[in-house]
Each structure stands twice: as structure tokens, then as C-alpha cells.
Amino acid sequence: AMRKFPGLRVRLVPVGLNYFSQHRFNSRVLVKYGEAVDVAPRLLEAFTQGGDPKRRAVQELLAQVQHELEKVTVAAPDWKTMKTFWVLRDLYCPSKRLLRMTSVEKVLLAQAFAADYDRVKGDPAVDPLLARIDQYARNLDALGIKDKANLESALLLRRHSTVRLLLLLVVRVVWLLSLQVVFGPVYLCLFPVYAIATLYSR
């Protein structure tokens, strides 16, 4: 466009999309806009020349865009490192503060850890801490719980006495049994439909 229309100023605006529950329909997403990237005139000149100068100009512009995109998204080299950022964020905040944080605040805090990851990666003083965080994350996965649920359980145990916790357990068990009694006939009525649909799908 700049070559076709001399004097035209093209600016690329990086947009970061951070999904909170991307596997769910109608889930929330944080849209964050970064600083606009101007296409330098020297890149236009190199692009117009073609050949190697054109390829170098494209690579340089893509590198600039990638650098700006990393500022508006939680960038990580792999999924394991990404999970480390989330767990580190949860451990960094005080328990009650973490439970009150909004989704946007959690994403911004994880971005702060991700932005400094390259600087501390490989540091002998940091690697043992990251290893412990990774072990903690794997323990949570093995138990099938999240760090937020772990904090809620800890605060619940600290806030109530043993008698009150036992009473709360009895009330919730009775509530679950009553739900089974109410919805049991519905499950039985729908079971043939489920069985037929399962067999037909195969």
C-alpha cells in the first residue's frame, strides 16, 4: 500500500487476545491494544528493491510486530512455562487478595512475570524455585484441583471450628442426596435416549 500510494502512513496496531475459558461458549476475553508500529521508510525502500533486501525488510518488520505482541499477551515458549506463570502469579499474591482479583488483574500480573522470564531464565538462584513451582503445579493436577480452590479450602479450615466443618459436611452430603432423589427419575427417563445416541454415534 505504501509503495502504491506514496506518502501513505501505515501503522500496525498489536492486539492481544487473552482468553480465560476458551473451551467454553460465550466466555470472557481480555483485549489489550499495544503501541502502534510505524513502517519505517527505509523498510519500504528495501522492500521495493526486492530480493534479499525485501526479505530482510519483511523479517525486521515481523520481528518488531512480534516484540510488540509479546507486550500485550502472556507469551511463553511452551505450555509448561505458561502454567508456571499462572501458578507463580497465584503464589505471589496474598490468599485473600488472590480470591478478590479480577480476571484482568490476573492476566496483567502473569504478563509481568512473563516479561521478565528471559532475564532470570537459567539463573542458579531462580531455577530451584521454578522447579518447586513446577512440582507444586503437578501436585495440584494430580489432585484435580486449582490453586484458588486450595486457598479457599485453607481459609475455610482456618475460619471455622472442627464441629462447624463437620456440620457443614453433613449439610452438603444431605443436599447432594436430596438432589439425587429429585433428579434420579429424570436420569432414568433420559438414559434410553443416551444409550441409543451413543450406539448410533458409533
Side-chain angles (χ1 to χ4, degrees):
M2 294 177 65
R3 182 175 59 180
K4 187 175 181 180
F5 302 98
L8 178 65
R9 184 184 182 188
V10 175
R11 309 189 74 188
L12 305 177
V13 180
V15 181
L17 301 178
N18 298 277
Y19 292 92
F20 302 111
S21 300
Q22 59 271 26
H23 60 286
R24 296 180 181 177
F25 174 73
N26 201 27
S27 62
R28 291 178 298 172
V29 59
L30 171 64
V31 181
K32 189 176 180 182
Y33 298 93
E35 295 292 335
V37 178
D38 288 309
V39 180
R42 60 180 180 80
L43 295 180
L44 175 60
E45 295 176 2
F47 183 85
T48 306
Q49 294 176 11
D52 290 337
K54 178 180 179 179
R55 283 193 293 270
R56 287 195 296 269
V58 172
Q59 291 175 356
E60 183 177 346
L61 181 60
L62 289 177
Q64 293 179 10
V65 173
Q66 178 67 25
H67 179 70
E68 294 300 326
L69 281 175
E70 291 176 355
K71 297 179 181 179
V72 294
T73 56
V74 183
D78 49 52
W79 173 244
K80 178 182 176 182
T81 307
M82 175 70 74
K83 290 187 66 177
T84 301
F85 294 152
W86 293 113
V87 176
L88 186 60
R89 173 208 63 192
D90 294 344
L91 294 175
Y92 175 78
C93 292
S95 301
K96 294 183 179 180
R97 169 61 179 163
L98 176 62
L99 298 178
R100 293 195 302 265
M101 287 180 67
T102 64
S103 299
V104 174
E105 291 175 334
K106 292 179 180 179
V107 170
L108 295 178
L109 184 56
Q111 286 178 344
F113 287 118
D116 206 41
Y117 176 72
D118 290 335
R119 184 182 65 85
V120 300
K121 181 175 61 176
D123 191 329
V126 177
D127 285 345
L129 176 61
L130 294 178
R132 292 178 60 186
I133 293 174
D134 180 62
Q135 180 63 41
Y136 176 72
R138 284 191 275 114
N139 291 339
L140 291 180
D141 291 340
L143 295 174
I145 61 175
K146 295 183 178 180
D147 193 61
K148 182 177 179 180
N150 191 26
L151 291 175
E152 290 175 343
S153 301
L155 291 176
L156 183 66
L157 293 173
R158 184 183 302 177
R159 192 180 301 120
H160 300 293
S161 63
T162 304
V163 176
R164 187 176 179 86
L165 291 174
L166 289 175
L167 180 61
L168 182 61
L169 176 62
V170 171
V171 170
R172 292 187 176 181
V173 170
V174 172
W175 171 250
L176 290 176
L177 292 177
S178 63
L179 290 179
Q180 294 297 326
V181 172
V182 172
F183 291 102
V186 179
Y187 296 152
L188 293 177
C189 293
L190 294 178
F191 180 76
V193 178
Y194 168 76
I196 295 173
T198 303
L199 292 175
Y200 182 77
S201 63
R202 294 177 181 177

